[in-house]
Amino acid sequence: MRYGATILDAEGLRLSAAEKALFARANPFGFILFARNIDSAEQTRALCDELREAVGRNCLITIDQEGGRVQRLRPPLARQWRPALDHAAAAGAGADRAMYLRARLIAEELRGLGIDSNCAPLADVAGPDTHPFLQNRCYGSDLAAVVRRARATADGLLDGGVVPVVKHIPGHGRATLDSHKDLPRISAPLDQLTGSDFAAFAALNDLPMGMTAHLVYEALDSRPATLSPRVMQMIRTDIGFDGLIMSDDISMKALSGTPQDIARDTLAAGCDVVLFCNAPLDERAAVAEASGQMSVAAQARAEQAEAARRAPAPLDITAAEAELSALMGGQVYG
């Protein structure tokens, strides 16, 4: 049986009977957790078990655990990380290794709670006008450095048994608006985008999963990238990304229309799976119904993404923390 073409969330700390019934019926590809879903280690593991039991398989459960402002797990369940840009800056010449160790330790935290995917790394190239909602979440303003640090982050997650989701494909760094609230429009010519923003993702096109950017690239289309067949085709052909492509959350204000229509348009454009969050149960059910099952090609990519989940390599946590502290002059945590 094919998976449903959605990634959904839960309302609270445990599933309601109605949520269990919806998830059993819709069979979403996977789930995403938020801070409202997390209270204790025991409760989080129990919730992950309930989510997997609802669909009857060992589905991926993801989370936004970048570090800094965007991390759903916080002390005492997880380390309080500095924003990625500050983390890399503090490590200086050792930034690549510091990003790997950070990701490896994050993976250890996630796997201990039953979470086996993370919406990271970011391969967005920061610029002087990047909106503050994204600026210090980026890994740098130099293309080569961003690629190295994103690769190190992905490797750290994979070595810890966590499937990375590279974002925001094909590049969000030029956005001067917050796509949670508005639709950014990028007027840069195609050659500039290809040589910088898109090039970062081309260098990471072997990663198992990617998340789209909700913004308009005027050189390609008047529609947001998530809803644009032309942009999605460019991601597959020019960037060469053959992993599973999930939308960013379609409830964000950058997109307009009913959630059901947006879900249908997202899949028609070429996304494999729709991420839909923070909505009442009836809206989640409607989006699941509108999205239907994954296409044959999407299902194959979904299974490849699941296959990237492997048993964690051994980790000496004390040694990893000591190495990271030495690289960063003791300025590790936020």
Side-chain angles (χ1 to χ4, degrees):
M1 180 179 177
R2 284 190 222 157
Y3 304 153
T6 50
I7 296 173
L8 301 175
D9 59 350
E11 185 172 342
L13 300 176
R14 299 296 291 267
L15 294 186
S16 66
E19 285 179 318
K20 290 179 181 179
L22 169 61
F23 298 155
R25 183 172 71 251
N27 190 28
F29 163 69
F31 297 96
I32 188 168
L33 299 185
F34 290 90
R36 68 173 182 273
N37 304 126
I38 297 160
D39 178 60
S40 68
E42 182 180 11
Q43 167 272 320
T44 304
R45 286 191 289 266
L47 176 59
C48 289
D49 288 344
E50 283 187 330
L51 290 167
R52 293 186 170 109
E53 288 167 4
V55 295
R57 55 187 167 82
N58 188 25
C59 65
L60 285 175
I61 296 176
T62 196
I63 195 168
D64 281 300
Q65 191 71 0
E66 298 175 12
R69 287 179 294 110
V70 182
Q71 61 172 89
R72 311 308 184 197
L73 294 168
R74 297 186 182 275
L77 292 181
R79 298 164 181 82
Q80 178 62 51
W81 298 98
R82 304 179 74 189
L85 198 63
D86 298 342
H87 184 95
D96 300 353
R97 179 64 178 170
M99 292 299 286
Y100 172 87
L101 291 168
R102 166 193 177 106
R104 184 65 185 84
L105 289 165
I106 287 174
E108 197 76 5
E109 295 168 341
L110 297 183
R111 281 294 294 241
L113 297 173
I115 302 164
D116 54 10
S117 176
N118 190 14
C119 295
L122 275 74
D124 303 312
V125 180
D129 298 321
T130 302
H131 192 278
F133 102 93
L134 185 66
Q135 180 81 37
N136 68 357
R137 296 165 57 193
C138 295
Y139 296 175
S141 56
D142 173 75
L143 172 62
V146 169
V147 169
R148 290 195 314 272
R149 294 166 189 172
R151 174 67 68 183
T153 298
D155 287 347
L157 293 172
L158 287 165
D159 287 349
V162 170
V163 178
V165 182
V166 64
K167 61 188 186 185
H168 303 83
I169 194 167
H172 212 304
R174 294 178 190 267
T176 59
L177 299 175
D178 180 352
S179 55
H180 292 86
K181 302 175 182 178
D182 301 287
L183 176 60
R185 308 186 72 89
I186 308 302
S187 60
L190 188 58
D191 60 339
Q192 288 185 17
L193 294 168
T194 301
S196 178
D197 307 63
F198 301 169
F201 291 90
L204 300 161
N205 64 11
D206 60 317
L207 293 182
M209 294 180 65
M211 176 189 286
T212 62
H214 292 333
L215 65 169
V216 171
Y217 302 95
E218 294 177 345
L220 289 172
D221 201 340
S222 60
R223 289 168 289 187
T226 302
L227 308 180
S228 168
R230 184 174 180 187
V231 174
M232 298 307 299
Q233 182 64 24
M234 184 275 297
I235 290 171
R236 293 295 189 199
T237 56
D238 298 355
I239 289 178
F241 189 84
D242 194 40
L244 184 80
I245 296 180
M246 60 185 280
S247 73
D248 204 344
D249 180 11
I250 64 166
S251 70
M252 291 164 60
K253 302 305 181 185
L255 306 181
S256 58
T258 68
Q260 301 97 300
D261 286 342
I262 295 172
R264 282 188 283 261
D265 290 346
T266 295
L267 295 169
C271 283
D272 294 313
V273 63
V274 172
L275 175 65
F276 184 55
C277 310
N278 305 309
L281 184 68
D282 60 339
E283 290 188 15
R284 284 178 281 165
V287 165
E289 175 70 22
S291 300
Q293 293 183 338
M294 283 185 162
S295 68
V296 173
Q299 179 78 23
R301 286 189 281 263
E303 292 171 359
Q304 289 175 349
E306 290 174 330
R309 175 179 50 189
R310 56 182 184 248
L315 176 68
D316 183 329
I317 294 177
T318 301
E321 289 182 322
E323 181 184 358
L324 184 56
S325 181
L327 285 170
M328 300 180 63
Q331 303 178 57
V332 177
Y333 304 113

